[in-house]
Amino acid sequence: MSFPEATEQDVTDPVTGDPDETLDLQDSFQEERGPLLAASCMSMSTDHSMGPPFSFKQEAPTDSQARRMRRCPETDAAWHISRLEDEVGLEVRYIDTFKGRGVFAVSAFEEGEFIVEYRGDLINFEEAQRRRRIYHDALKGFMIDFIWQGKCWTIDAALDDGSFGRLFNDDHLNPNCIIKRIIVGRQPHLCIFAMRDIIPGEELTYTYGDADCPWREKVSKGQIGVNSLPQSSGEMPASGQLCGPTSWRGSTDVHQDGVLCNDSDVCSIVGNSEEDSAANSSDESTSEGSAWAHGISKGKKKEKRIYSETSNALEASKSEEAHQSSSHILIKGISKTSRGSRVYDKKQYCFFCCRPLSKIARHLEQVHSNEPDVAKALTFPKGSKERKILLEHLRNKGNFAYNAEILEKGQGDLVPCKKPRKDSNSGDFIHCLHCLGLFAKKFLWRHMKQCKLRTNELSTPGADKMFSPGACMGPTAQGVSAGLHEILRNMNDDELLLTIKADPYIIKLGEYFYNKLGADSGKHAYVRLKMREVGRLLIQAKKATPLRRMEDFVDPSNFLHVVTAVKMVCGYDDDKCTFKRPTLAVKLGHSLQKMAFLVSFQAMMDRDSEKADKARDFNEMYTTRWCELLSANTLRTFREDKWNAPLVIPFTEDVKMMHLFLDNKQKSTFNDLSSNATSKNWTCLAKVTLSQVVLFNRRREGEVSKMPLTSFVCRNTFDLHEDVAFTELEKKLCRHFTWIEIKGKKGRKVPVLLTPEMQKSMELLKEKRGVCGVPSENIYMFARPSALSHLRGSDCLRDFAVECGAKNPKALLSTKHRKYVATLSNVLNLNNTEIDRLADVLGHSIRVQREDYRLPEGTLQLAKISKVLMALETGRLGEFSGKNLEDISIDASELEAEVSIEHSLDRDENSSADRHSPD
Ligand SMILES: C[S@@+](CC[C@H](N)C(=O)[O-])C[C@H]1O[C@@H](n2cnc3c(N)ncnc32)[C@H](O)[C@@H]1O
């Protein structure tokens, strides 16, 4: 897929007309359109996270004015490119699990008009190949190759930056848009233009070229109505519109024989190429990708298999049948003769000819030596380790493809790497992510330790485990957004996952949450949790009520069944009228409301007014009766639980003991890391420091755990504000502590104070990250070495609370600590402003946000609140009973002693050094 040089649109300077002069975009547009228009366009938001579910709208009206002023579509394109902005009048809608999302017109577009840039990274051929090797198949669909200045380039839009261009779907029969390459600022860009007049409500599509896209088969056979537009004669767009022959799998033609696209080449989105799969098998880095790429490119049979699976996703009932029949899938145990001796009758499946064979290596050598992967293996001497590994990988790939077919059929025997003693259930087995072998779940950890195809590449947390047949081949493999697919892939392969994947509305709910929250990877667990909650409800409902699919839940005639199912899943006790899990009942209520919205949304799209009405009626019933039937009891249970729960706050002695313990531990771990930089020592110091910061600040542990390294690096080093009157002690406190800001609840900025000791530890941690194996991609201050995640403050505190010998270790957890401060602060005579400040530091809700006075406010908090925190640390808060912050005095010498230790912060060092020098 590529672009002919002839069709390239160079955007020349409109004033000089010189094609070599690229536009000075910012200025020329300001002039051309006037500052007002520029400003109005600048303010167009593409923030998807804020939009309503499944519909990220940009308001249309301002658009017409803007568009009328545009004369040349290419100039318009350049204008948008310069501002990294999308056109208004577009909306992203979720279409179905097969097609995923699509872009729809909210306002009309005229023929030839610029619509949107296909935004992404511009990368060269080598980088594109590298990314293809590591990308999941779903992500490869966002890469477009094209030719420019005789070289192959790629726009990689795999990263979801919220732009619309990346979400345009393919239509090879009747596209209404076309994608063209234009040059702006001496760089090529891909832009999408209207091919004809487009009316509001139409899905915007362009052809991915003459690619062999799997979904096209379905369209032409009329199996799945992926596009409501009438089918045309199938003519390709006129020449010059950058469409022509290429293959879905790819850029193989483009780069295999060294011919970099001729004029008939087209723009198309590529997936994996054969060359990729060869490369994959040679560097053994992405076994999954290579297996599928090969599977698809090798023949129609496998292609059909994969996409018939996708169509299953559209019909929950069919998937459910498949699920039920998964119990007919077995892993046969080892066979024995009547005398009990073992029979070696295991068959392996050839990856190339799909035949079952007992001697697979010999077969590959004799029959398929021309296959590049086999030929590569045969270049190594017989008996060599390399040859063995490559052939083993091919063997696993063949078995994997066969297993995939069995799982899809729902019947048969899977081929494992090692046969179990007895016949076993397929659910107890799982594929290794690296070598594709099928292993007993119980023993996979052992295999992972020694898997020869395991790469040393950094893996995301949890991704290094395995993948189940279900996870890689489930009905969600296509159509679901890449992000949600990843979230599903990281879920445990069990009945719950099968239920989730088989129900289109749970998937839609997942998409809904993913669209809202997915940009923050920290929220992916929440998306998973929401799907799991609803999945459990469905499983329970299937057992006890006639409800079979989530869609049935939002039918008003089933309302009481829904209530029954919710009660069951939340552990309702009929006699006591209480819930075991009261909050779950409330959460499920909210999810069902969203579900009703999703059903009605889909029904409206399908023009199914009956279904839409039902969903609306459900919502009405929910509003009127849910509380009476469920929420009232849940809230009562909840209140009673809280009422009865004793208020556990830490003993002052325990708090002191913990602080002392951590201080000592900090010293020893600091010395250990300074003298011996290992990941173990790094982690020890990180754990201690994290605990100290959480405890000292009484912050939510999650907020501190997620502290980005940049917050520390760019910490506040403001000077004392001249205009604010501080006591001497307060001034010293300001110099003593450092103030940094992190993201708190609801995205609020929350402050964290660091003592000099904490700073010292954090400086050392920062310095030793690299040598101790913390990847540079890990953004967290308290990182886990060899991973991209962070340590968890709650785990650290729990361990240290026990280790320090506290009487009541449970009370030393961060929430209890925060309550402790809140409770003990009542002994002080704090005025309203002071209470606000304390609340702000603790991350409780604050009544007044003084954003405009950030600096003095920060200084004030640092000066005043640090007194309270220090008093707490030393267990002396009681001494200040009845005093307000102004009256609290802390022995300056205690502070000075600490200050003098801290050499790295040499602000105002002289005066304190003079007074406290041993001389
Ligand atoms: C660039 S993305 C388009 C946005 C995608 N629909 C989404 O939700 O992320 C390309 C992917 O969309 C899907 N796709 C595009 N056109 C399609 C069509 N006509 N029918 C089904 N799926 C399509 C394919 O999975 C393809 O890999």
Side-chain angles (χ1 to χ4, degrees):
M1 89 190 86
S2 59
F3 290 93
E5 299 285 339
T7 55
E8 172 180 305
Q9 312 280 326
D10 278 26
V11 179
T12 55
D13 188 316
V15 181
T16 62
D18 182 355
D20 288 325
E21 278 284 345
T22 48
L23 289 172
D24 181 346
L25 294 155
Q26 189 73 29
D27 293 346
S28 67
F29 282 118
Q30 291 281 351
E31 271 168 38
E32 198 181 317
R33 298 163 165 240
L36 198 69
L37 177 61
S40 79
C41 293
M42 290 291 277
S43 66
M44 294 164 199
S45 161
T46 52
D47 182 3
H48 288 182
S49 66
M50 302 304 288
F54 296 115
S55 171
F56 314 119
K57 275 198 189 175
Q58 291 184 320
E59 291 306 323
T62 52
D63 176 38
S64 53
Q65 184 205 357
R67 235 184 286 139
R68 245 176 275 126
M69 294 182 71
R70 289 174 213 145
R71 306 258 142 66
C72 160
E74 280 76 28
T75 311
D76 195 26
W79 187 82
H80 279 91
I81 288 168
S82 71
R83 280 160 179 77
L84 293 176
E85 264 177 20
D86 282 347
E87 183 57 277
V88 290
L90 301 176
E91 141 181 320
V92 174
R93 287 191 207 153
Y94 179 80
I95 302 171
D96 55 39
T97 42
F98 180 64
K99 215 171 172 185
R101 295 159 295 175
V103 179
F104 289 77
V106 173
S107 54
F109 288 90
E110 280 170 25
E111 182 180 344
E113 208 174 299
F114 162 78
I115 297 187
V116 91
E117 183 190 1
Y118 186 90
R119 256 197 326 257
D121 294 349
L122 174 67
I123 50 175
N124 64 17
F125 176 73
E126 288 73 27
E127 175 60 11
Q129 288 301 91
R130 190 189 72 79
R131 292 191 186 182
R132 283 198 176 98
R133 276 199 292 276
I134 55 174
Y135 275 1
H136 183 281
D137 266 355
L139 292 181
K140 291 173 198 157
F142 289 94
M143 297 172 84
I144 299 190
D145 293 346
F146 63 97
I147 294 291
W148 179 55
Q149 294 187 338
K151 288 200 180 129
C152 190
W153 299 86
T154 300
I155 299 281
D156 175 6
L159 184 76
D160 189 351
D161 61 353
S163 64
F164 289 94
R166 59 191 295 282
L167 297 180
F168 277 57
N169 285 318
D170 166 57
D171 187 344
H172 66 301
L173 298 177
N174 196 4
N176 48 21
C177 299
I178 182 164
I179 188 161
K180 294 187 194 181
R181 177 193 57 194
I182 69 168
I183 309 298
V184 177
R186 295 199 171 88
Q187 279 215 339
H189 294 263
L190 301 184
C191 290
I192 301 172
F193 297 86
M195 267 175 76
R196 57 168 169 77
D197 289 349
I198 297 171
I199 54 167
E202 268 190 72
E203 187 191 358
L204 301 173
T205 55
Y206 60 89
T207 181
Y208 289 2
D210 194 17
D212 184 16
C213 306
W215 53 84
R216 290 187 182 172
E217 205 183 311
K218 303 272 179 204
V219 178
S220 42
K221 284 187 185 168
Q223 290 169 330
I224 294 175
V226 287
N227 203 319
S228 53
L229 289 171
Q231 296 193 357
S232 76
S233 57
E235 264 176 49
M236 298 303 291
S239 64
Q241 293 180 331
L242 307 173
C243 292
T246 189
S247 124
W248 163 253
R249 285 289 142 192
S251 49
T252 312
D253 304 339
V254 175
H255 55 78
Q256 209 167 37
D257 39 14
V259 183
L260 287 167
C261 305
N262 52 38
D263 280 6
S264 65
D265 288 325
V266 294
C267 150
S268 83
I269 298 184
V270 290
N272 209 347
S273 68
E274 285 192 41
E275 191 172 308
D276 291 341
S277 35
N280 286 343
S281 56
S282 61
D283 71 8
E284 303 135 24
S285 59
T286 50
S287 9
E288 184 197 1
S290 66
W292 286 111
H294 212 129
I296 294 166
S297 60
K298 272 291 150 186
K300 290 262 179 240
K301 191 170 163 242
K302 283 176 184 162
E303 190 179 312
K304 254 192 192 158
R305 182 187 70 213
I306 293 164
Y307 290 95
S308 62
E309 216 169 64
T310 309
S311 66
N312 277 354
L314 298 171
E315 296 166 64
S317 53
K318 274 193 197 166
S319 299
E320 198 182 317
E321 277 165 30
H323 174 197
Q324 277 160 8
S325 60
S326 70
S327 53
H328 302 301
I329 304 174
L330 275 186
I331 317 273
K332 275 262 161 70
I334 48 178
S335 322
K336 293 202 172 158
T337 61
S338 51
R339 281 203 230 135
S341 49
R342 177 146 183 206
V343 178
Y344 292 91
D345 59 351
K346 187 169 156 195
K347 294 273 190 279
Q348 320 272 359
Y349 286 79
C350 173
F351 181 55
F352 303 103
C353 61
C354 306
R355 284 166 52 199
L357 300 143
S358 347
K359 302 276 181 209
I360 191 80
R362 192 194 302 165
H363 168 80
L364 291 173
E365 270 179 62
Q366 290 177 354
V367 183
H368 300 294
S369 56
N370 287 339
E371 294 288 346
D373 288 354
V374 181
K376 184 174 176 200
L378 300 185
T379 55
F380 294 100
K382 264 198 168 162
S384 67
K385 202 169 125 195
E386 291 83 357
R387 181 174 172 133
K388 209 172 141 210
I389 292 173
L390 289 177
L391 290 176
E392 238 175 59
H393 191 208
L394 281 171
R395 181 197 68 189
N396 288 352
K397 277 161 88 172
N399 290 339
F400 178 77
Y402 170 78
N403 289 344
E405 234 161 281
I406 294 296
L407 281 154
E408 191 216 334
K409 273 198 278 177
Q411 203 151 22
D413 301 336
L414 298 181
V415 183
C417 272
K418 276 199 179 125
K419 278 191 170 190
R421 281 179 203 285
K422 286 189 254 152
D423 289 358
S424 307
N425 195 319
S426 63
D428 299 335
F429 278 70
I430 203 155
H431 283 100
C432 164
L433 180 65
H434 305 288
C435 70
L436 295 183
L438 183 64
F439 294 89
K441 276 183 184 168
K442 257 200 301 194
F443 302 121
L444 192 92
W445 65 271
R446 205 163 57 194
H447 161 76
M448 292 302 283
K449 281 192 163 175
Q450 56 198 30
C451 177
K452 308 219 176 50
L453 290 164
R454 188 179 164 159
T455 57
N456 291 327
E457 257 173 49
L458 178 71
S459 56
T460 50
D464 197 25
K465 293 182 212 156
M466 55 193 102
F467 67 111
S468 66
C472 68
M473 304 164 22
T476 53
Q478 285 279 326
V480 168
S481 69
L484 188 67
H485 184 88
E486 252 344 271
I487 289 181
L488 288 167
R489 249 170 60 89
N490 283 328
M491 284 170 81
N492 281 345
D493 176 41
D494 52 16
E495 188 196 359
L496 186 56
L497 179 62
L498 276 173
T499 308
I500 291 171
K501 294 209 302 187
D503 194 283
Y505 279 99
I506 306 188
I507 294 295
K508 280 178 204 268
L509 187 75
E511 286 281 6
Y512 165 74
F513 283 115
Y514 182 75
N515 287 335
K516 273 185 84 172
L517 310 165
D520 178 354
S521 59
K523 300 268 164 54
H524 290 183
Y526 179 80
V527 179
R528 256 193 297 269
L529 176 76
K530 288 287 130 192
M531 287 194 287
R532 272 208 301 259
E533 280 171 4
V534 177
R536 278 197 202 102
L537 175 66
L538 182 57
I539 292 176
Q540 188 62 56
K542 281 186 192 171
K543 286 183 193 152
T545 71
L547 306 173
R548 289 288 164 270
R549 305 165 302 167
M550 281 323 293
E551 207 180 319
D552 301 337
F553 278 64
V554 297
D555 182 335
S557 61
N558 289 331
F559 195 77
L560 293 179
H561 292 306
V562 175
V563 171
T564 311
V566 171
K567 280 185 170 174
M568 289 180 82
V569 86
C570 300
Y572 186 69
D573 183 331
D574 274 323
D575 299 332
K576 296 185 197 148
C577 295
T578 54
F579 285 91
K580 247 193 205 154
R581 291 172 286 279
T583 47
L584 180 61
V586 177
K587 288 181 199 161
L588 282 174
H590 293 149
S591 294
L592 286 175
Q593 243 191 330
K594 288 192 180 80
M595 196 71 83
F597 170 78
L598 296 175
V599 172
S600 88
F601 183 83
Q602 184 65 46
M604 285 192 280
M605 284 200 346
D606 299 343
R607 304 261 184 276
D608 184 343
S609 53
E610 198 188 331
K611 205 199 269 183
D613 287 347
K614 280 184 180 176
R616 261 194 301 271
D617 290 348
F618 172 87
N619 250 339
E620 213 164 286
M621 290 177 81
Y622 174 91
T623 323
T624 49
R625 297 218 57 198
W626 191 264
C627 177
E628 166 218 330
L629 294 169
L630 283 159
S631 304
N633 280 332
T634 55
L635 290 176
R636 191 171 51 74
T637 316
F638 197 58
R639 271 190 227 115
E640 273 173 17
D641 284 355
K642 278 199 134 188
W643 182 261
N644 295 332
L647 177 64
V648 184
I649 59 166
F651 299 118
T652 306
E653 273 312 302
D654 279 358
V655 177
K656 276 169 77 177
M657 194 181 274
M658 177 87 153
H659 276 294
L660 202 66
F661 172 83
L662 288 176
D663 282 352
N664 291 335
K665 189 113 186 150
Q666 186 266 344
K667 284 186 188 100
S668 62
T669 49
F670 185 92
N671 289 339
D672 291 348
L673 181 61
S674 309
S675 55
N676 188 9
T678 63
S679 346
K680 194 174 160 214
N681 289 343
W682 196 94
T683 312
C684 288
L685 182 62
K687 281 183 175 177
V688 174
T689 315
L690 171 58
S691 306
Q692 285 181 312
V693 178
V694 174
L695 272 195
F696 183 73
N697 287 276
R698 274 73 182 177
R699 289 238 60 88
R700 290 189 178 87
E701 65 78 21
E703 291 166 6
V704 182
S705 307
K706 283 186 207 139
M707 179 192 294
L709 178 64
T710 45
S711 300
F712 177 68
V713 176
C714 314
R715 61 189 179 276
N716 223 337
T717 50
F718 53 77
D719 289 327
L720 280 182
H721 213 269
E722 292 294 317
D723 302 341
V724 185
F726 289 114
T727 65
E728 264 317 296
L729 173 68
E730 284 169 354
K731 281 183 191 162
K732 280 195 186 117
L733 283 168
C734 283
R735 291 184 190 112
H736 184 68
F737 292 107
T738 299
W739 174 273
I740 61 175
E741 283 183 324
I742 57 172
K743 218 180 188 181
K745 213 174 170 184
K746 298 190 178 156
R748 250 189 324 121
K749 273 186 183 177
V750 288
V752 166
L753 297 192
L754 302 178
T755 63
E757 284 305 299
M758 291 172 199
Q759 280 186 72
K760 213 170 93 182
S761 303
M762 286 161 83
E763 281 294 349
L764 185 68
L765 287 170
K766 187 183 95 185
E767 186 193 318
K768 303 279 182 189
R769 282 169 79 93
V771 277
C772 294
V774 178
S776 55
E777 297 91 335
N778 192 320
I779 57 162
Y780 299 108
M781 175 71 230
F782 301 106
R784 272 179 210 282
S786 315
L788 298 181
S789 57
H790 54 78
L791 296 167
R792 282 163 42 126
S794 53
D795 296 342
C796 306
L797 280 179
R798 199 177 307 116
D799 294 347
F800 290 137
V802 174
E803 235 181 285
C804 77
K807 277 191 215 138
N808 187 2
K810 276 193 187 154
L812 287 172
L813 304 186
S814 92
T815 322
K816 305 276 165 41
H817 249 280
R818 286 151 33 74
K819 284 185 184 161
Y820 170 73
V821 184
T823 313
L824 291 198
S825 59
N826 287 337
V827 302
L828 299 172
N829 178 24
L830 303 184
N831 62 33
N832 278 348
T833 324
E834 289 169 346
I835 289 172
D836 277 352
R837 278 183 211 133
L838 185 63
D840 199 15
V841 169
L842 295 174
H844 296 307
S845 64
I846 180 165
R847 277 173 283 162
V848 187
Q849 277 282 6
R850 296 177 187 81
E851 289 294 348
D852 295 346
Y853 304 101
R854 205 74 222 159
L855 184 64
E857 184 64 13
T859 320
L860 266 173
Q861 297 204 25
L862 180 56
K864 312 274 179 197
I865 302 300
S866 51
K867 287 189 195 176
V868 180
L869 297 179
M870 280 197 69
L872 282 162
E873 190 179 45
T874 49
R876 292 175 49 210
L877 196 69
E879 291 173 25
F880 307 123
S881 173
K883 291 185 180 176
N884 65 24
L885 286 182
E886 299 301 332
D887 303 334
I888 297 176
S889 65
I890 287 175
D891 184 359
S893 62
E894 280 177 32
L895 186 64
E896 296 299 335
E898 275 193 62
V899 175
S900 63
I901 301 168
E902 192 258 303
H903 298 293
S904 59
L905 297 179
D906 48 5
R907 277 176 275 158
D908 205 24
E909 205 177 33
N910 297 342
S911 62
S912 56
D914 288 344
R915 271 197 289 144
H916 294 275
S917 72
D919 301 335

